[in-house]
């Protein structure tokens, strides 16, 4: 048994995420966590809401709520949706937790002691009307290059020119519209990432099993041009983790908070501490996952994320952990994803284009979405959601292949033998061949799941279902029954056991349907089929089962057309 630590990139707090966000890290991370647990490994699966920063403050202001209250409410909304999609986090934490405050302040203190923090005085725009410093992108004005009158302080989105806020003509606050702005001097802390370049390069080059794409992105950021730059870790905001040197005050930094990029990944660790507290366990319970001097040296740590997050997780976060000089567990493998597009364009949160997590669950069960998203995961390239493809894939794979097998076998058995596993008869060469074919496909499925090949795994799982259907088609117990009822009984006994086997191996993809299949078989034995032949005789003759309701109702053309127009844009 291995110990496997899995983290999913943290969803930001300011709204409900769309399906592209879901398949970009949380859902495939859940697939892997479920599979590893099913194989008997000890898993710690962690995610959390990322709650700090200006966008959270502005979303709260828009909702006319104090930011702490807004974040607490949105955390509950996101936690409920995660549960609705059956995301099996061991803990879904909050980056605003006391544990993260303490740990972030601790890390900053360690980095300071190691000489890896510099204090830099900067000039920044202050809005008197808003009573706050404005981040670059919250200053708007006229672009000096093209004359566009809504250019942002960091970039003009009309002509794409990179800007400084002081370049803007007639600058104003994007928050209040006030033009009462002034440039003030303010002090910030920077993480001296440049000083850690050699250490980071050695570490990245030691990762021989990482995809070339991952290491090349990291090395590019590390060495291209002027190379990796020092990075500000503080902000002049109210909402966030107060800047401290461990537990001590940091002279000159009163009233400032850590920048969200610094505290968010530390929440992976802090959320594990939140988990320990929620379980009534002591610090040793989470430290054995994260401190290599306290038991984490045999942990394998996998991070799931969108590809835009790769530089950050290969450079900045490791720089924090290494720079602390403490033996924190570093990532062993990064699984990253491209983007999911929506029906000929992009998902858009601002325009409400595409399907959002709450809407998805309001129209169909989670397994439908899980199956389609995972079997079309944007791994090697971007992928696209279309309603036609979704309908065809769900109807064919789930309803016609898996659902149909379960329905046919249980209904036939009920009508000829009653709702018990029938006795009598023995299996022949056709069944031996089925066992051999299933064994080969299952071993291949296991290898692909182990390697986090999400799409290929789904194809192999589907191939396992197809083998069962082909077998039933050829063996045709409904015909055999007329001439050789004993043989038909043996075939049906095998097929009922096959339903249980499918429940076990399909559970990581479609947990609700798997549970329904297992319940119908009157079984609670989720043991993984090592020996397929043995697994197919697990339910003995005389064992009672129930005939389940339809597992997967087909999506009709009318429903598809209705949804297609409803989700085309501008969310209410
Ligand atoms: Zn411009």
């Amino acid at each position: 048994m291995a110990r496997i630590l899995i983290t999913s990139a943290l969803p930001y707090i300011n709204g409900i995420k769309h399906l592209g966000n879901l398949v970009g890290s949380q859902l495939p991370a859940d697939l892997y966590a479920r599979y590893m647990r099913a194989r008997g490994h000890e898993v710690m699966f962690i995610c959390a809401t990322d709650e700090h920063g200006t966008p959270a403050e502005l979303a709260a202001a828009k909702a006319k709520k104090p930011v702490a209250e807004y974040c607490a409410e949105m955390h509950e909304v996101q936690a409920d949706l995660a549960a609705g999609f059956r995301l099996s986090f061991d803990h879904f934490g909050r980056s605003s937790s006391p544990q993260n405050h303490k740990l972030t302040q601790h890390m900053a203190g360690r980095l300071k002691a190691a000489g890896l923090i510099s204090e830099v005085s900067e000039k920044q725009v202050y809005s008197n009307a808003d009573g706050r410093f404005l981040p670059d992108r919250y200053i708007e004005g006229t672009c000096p290059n093209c004359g566009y009158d809504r250019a942002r302080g960091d970039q003009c989105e009309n002509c794409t020119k990179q800007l400084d806020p002081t370049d803007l003509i007639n600058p104003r606050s994007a928050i209040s519209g006030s033009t009462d702005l002034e440039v003030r001097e303010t002090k910030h802390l920077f993480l001296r990432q440049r000083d850690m370049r050699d250490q980071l390069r050695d570490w990245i080059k030691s990762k021989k099993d990482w995809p070339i794409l991952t290491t090349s992105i990291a090395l590019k950021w590390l060495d291209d041009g002027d190379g990796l730059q020092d990075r500000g870790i503080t902000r002049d905001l109210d909402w966030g983790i107060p800047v401290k040197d461990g537990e001590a005050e940091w002279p000159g930094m009163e009233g400032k908070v850590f920048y969200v990029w610094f505290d968010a990944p530390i929440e992976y660790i802090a959320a594990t501490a939140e988990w320990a507290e929620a379980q009534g366990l002591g610090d040793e319970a989470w430290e054995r996952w994260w401190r290599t001097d306290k038991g984490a040296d045999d942990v394998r740590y996998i991070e799931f994320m969108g590809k835009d997050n790769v530089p950050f997780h290969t450079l900045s976060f490791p720089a924090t952990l290494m720079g602390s000089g403490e033996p924190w567990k570093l990532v062993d493998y990064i699984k990253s994803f491209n983007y999911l597009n929506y029906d000929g364009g992009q998902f858009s949160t601002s325009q409400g284009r595409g399907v959002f997590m709450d809407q998805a669950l309001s129209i169909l069960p989670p397994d439908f979405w899980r199956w389609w998203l995972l079997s079309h995961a944007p791994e090697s390239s971007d992928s696209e959601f279309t309603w036609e493809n979704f309908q065809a894939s769900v109807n064919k794979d789930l309803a016609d292949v898996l659902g149909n097998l379960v329905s046919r076998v249980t209904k036939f058995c009920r009508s000829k033998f009653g709702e018990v596993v029938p006795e009598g008869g023995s299996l022949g060469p056709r069944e031996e061949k089925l066992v051999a074919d299933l064994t080969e496909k299952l071993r291949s499925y296991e290898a692909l799941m182990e390697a986090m090949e999400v799409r290929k795994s789904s194809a192999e799982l589907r191939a396992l279902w197809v083998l069962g259907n082909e077998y039933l088609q050829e063996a045709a117990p409904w015909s055999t029954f007329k001439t050789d009822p004993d043989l038909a009984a043996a075939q049906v006994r095998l097929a009922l056991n096959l339903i249980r086997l499918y429940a076990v191996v399909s559970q990581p993809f479609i947990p609700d349907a798997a549970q329904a299949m297992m319940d119908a078989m009157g079984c609670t034995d989720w043991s993984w089929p090592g020996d397929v032949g043995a697994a197919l005789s697990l339910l003995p003759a005389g064992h009672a089962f129930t005939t389940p309701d339809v597992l997967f109702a087909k999506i009709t053309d009318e429903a598809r057309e209705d949804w297609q127009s409803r989700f085309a844009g501008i969310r209410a």
Side-chain angles (χ1 to χ4, degrees), residues 143 145-148 151 156 158-161:
C143 173
N145 188 46
C146 73
Y148 179 61
C156 172
N158 189 49
C159 69
T160 76
K161 188 177 167 60

Side-chain angles (χ1 to χ4, degrees), residues 6 13 32 80 87 95 100 125 150-151 246 297-298 339 353 360 363 387-388 392 407 468 530 557:
I6 301 167
I13 194 70
Y32 188 65
D80 285 349
L87 302 178
S95 69
N100 200 35
V125 174
R150 295 193 62 191
D297 46 356
D298 67 346
Y339 300 116
R353 189 168 190 283
I363 57 174
W387 285 99
E388 288 80 5
S407 166
D557 291 345

Side-chain angles (χ1 to χ4, degrees), residues 418-437:
E419 284 185 311
V420 288
V421 177
E423 60 181 329
S426 56
L427 303 172
R430 199 197 311 270
E431 287 73 26
E432 278 169 29
K433 179 171 186 309
L434 173 67
V435 168
D437 291 348

Side-chain angles (χ1 to χ4, degrees), residues 19 22-32 34 85 87 304 335 337 340 366-379 383 390 393 397 445 449 452-459 461 506-511:
L19 296 181
L22 181 64
V23 76
S25 81
Q26 294 181 55
L27 189 54
D30 179 69
L31 179 76
Y32 188 65
R34 284 176 174 276
F85 277 95
L87 302 178
F304 286 76
K335 175 70 181 178
F337 291 85
L340 178 69
D367 282 352
F368 285 51
W369 300 107
R370 290 178 63 105
W371 175 253
W372 189 88
L373 289 167
L374 291 167
S375 60
H376 295 76
E379 285 180 296
S383 60
F390 176 68
S393 164
D397 299 346
Y445 174 62
M449 287 291 269
M452 290 168 262
E453 292 279 1
V454 178
R455 288 174 86 136
K456 287 180 185 165
S457 299
S458 75
L461 177 60
S506 308
Q507 180 272 128
F509 279 90
I510 44 172

Side-chain angles (χ1 to χ4, degrees), residues 341-389:
N341 294 316
Y342 179 80
D343 226 354
Q346 289 178 342
F347 278 90
S348 165
T349 301
S350 58
Q351 292 169 34
R353 189 168 190 283
V355 187
F356 289 72
M357 285 172 71
D358 55 340
Q359 300 168 325
L361 290 178
S362 76
I363 57 174
L364 287 169
D367 282 352
F368 285 51
W369 300 107
R370 290 178 63 105
W371 175 253
W372 189 88
L373 289 167
L374 291 167
S375 60
H376 295 76
E379 285 180 296
S380 52
S381 61
D382 290 355
S383 60
E384 184 178 23
F385 178 94
T386 68
W387 285 99
E388 288 80 5
N389 182 304

Side-chain angles (χ1 to χ4, degrees), residues 53-65:
T54 308
E57 288 187 308
L58 295 182
K62 200 174 162 198
K64 298 192 168 46
K65 284 180 181 166

